[in-house]
């Protein structure tokens, strides 16, 4: 609502507007907010804007000739009717939220990278060839203790070689035992 007064007679226009403002406070007064910077919100309130012919002559209709009830300074008509402080505050609050979310994401990523690096540093290497374990090999080696055909300190390739060697040794042992057995039988036969 725009009120224009003309300063005539004994009562100054500013004092008249102050009085109108005081009487209509319940219609225009906003609620103070601080998030993003001090501002007011005016949901369902009526923007009461006052000027005088003298102000309009001095500043022009596009200038800071308008006083919105409850505000300290004169503004352009658009700023007086609108709520630039609220818009700025909301933009700042939004930017703060964005910055916080971005910092959080960066921190998460840093932590994940650190955990991955720490895990990589713990990855076992093959006791024979020094090659790094694959994830599957690492998991298996951690879960199962050494067994007859299971060498958890070796990589898959070296384990295959170790099993081959163990089998060859067993075969050799069997052959020798067989021979000794025959030898024993022969020697018994001979005696
Ligand atoms: Zn190996």
């Amino acid at each position: 609502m725009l009120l224009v007064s003309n300063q005539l007679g004994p009562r100054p226009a500013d004092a008249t507007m102050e009085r109108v403002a005081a009487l209509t406070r319940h219609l225009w007064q906003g609620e103070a907010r601080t998030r993003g910077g001090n501002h007011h919100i005016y949901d369902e309130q009526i923007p009461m804007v006052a000027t005088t012919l003298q102000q309009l002559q001095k500043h022009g209709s596009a200038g800071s000739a308008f006083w919105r009830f409850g505000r300290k300074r004169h503004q352009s008509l658009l700023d007086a009717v609108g709520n630039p402080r609220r818009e700025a505050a909301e933009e700042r609050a939004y930017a703060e939220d964005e910055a916080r979310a971005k910092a959080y994401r960066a921190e998460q990523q840093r932590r994940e990278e650190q955990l991955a690096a720490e895990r990589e540093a713990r990855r076992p290497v093959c006791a024979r060839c020094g090659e790094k374990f694959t994830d599957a090999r690492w998991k298996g080696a951690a879960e199962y203790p050494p067994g007859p055909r299971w060498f958890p300190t070796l990589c898959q390739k070296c384990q295959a070689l170790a099993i081959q060697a163990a089998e060859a040794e067993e075969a050799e042992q069997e052959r020798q035992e067989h021979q000794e057995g025959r030898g024993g039988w022969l020697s018994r036969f001979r005696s």
Side-chain angles (χ1 to χ4, degrees):
M1 192 175 285
L2 179 61
L3 307 167
V4 184
S5 64
N6 190 6
Q7 188 169 347
L8 290 172
R11 187 190 280 278
D14 282 354
T16 305
M17 286 306 173
E18 297 276 1
R19 186 162 154 69
V20 174
L23 290 171
T24 57
R25 181 176 291 275
H26 59 287
L27 296 177
W28 55 259
Q29 189 166 45
E31 264 179 72
R33 290 283 192 278
T34 54
R35 181 161 153 67
N38 291 328
H39 62 284
H40 285 77
I41 56 166
Y42 302 98
D43 296 339
E44 291 177 33
Q45 294 295 78
I46 302 167
M48 303 279 269
V49 179
T51 188
T52 61
L53 287 178
Q54 289 72 22
Q55 289 274 9
L56 282 173
Q57 275 160 1
K58 190 173 162 196
H59 299 285
S61 58
S64 299
F66 302 88
W67 175 59
R68 177 160 174 169
F69 290 1
R71 290 189 182 163
K72 291 191 178 76
R73 271 181 298 277
H74 283 66
Q75 295 171 294
S76 73
L77 183 58
L78 281 180
D79 282 351
V81 174
N83 196 351
R85 280 164 70 104
R86 177 185 186 171
E87 280 157 25
E90 283 173 352
E91 265 169 40
R92 267 196 301 274
Y94 178 76
E96 280 168 18
D97 288 347
E98 280 291 286
R100 208 171 298 129
K102 197 174 159 196
Y104 177 77
R105 284 195 297 271
E107 175 60 19
Q108 284 287 98
Q109 196 186 339
R110 196 195 60 75
R111 210 172 290 175
E112 274 166 29
E113 281 168 4
Q114 191 188 340
L115 285 177
E118 283 171 7
R119 181 172 185 273
E120 211 44 45
R122 287 197 307 273
R123 183 182 293 276
V125 296
C126 173
R128 187 172 291 177
C129 74
E131 199 163 281
K132 279 187 171 187
F133 276 22
T134 61
D135 282 349
R137 186 70 188 164
W138 186 0
K139 190 166 182 281
E143 282 174 9
Y144 302 103
R149 274 172 172 61
W150 176 243
F151 301 85
T153 60
L154 302 182
C155 73
Q156 201 78 38
K157 219 163 50 192
C158 292
Q159 171 172 271
L161 294 174
I163 290 171
Q164 250 177 27
E167 281 173 351
E169 202 178 314
E170 272 172 37
E172 176 60 21
Q173 233 167 25
E174 249 171 61
R175 198 183 60 79
Q176 276 180 13
E177 275 166 22
H178 188 65
Q179 233 173 27
E180 273 168 24
R182 217 163 54 173
W185 177 78
L186 279 173
S187 60
R188 259 202 319 278
F189 183 75
R190 278 193 196 116
S191 61

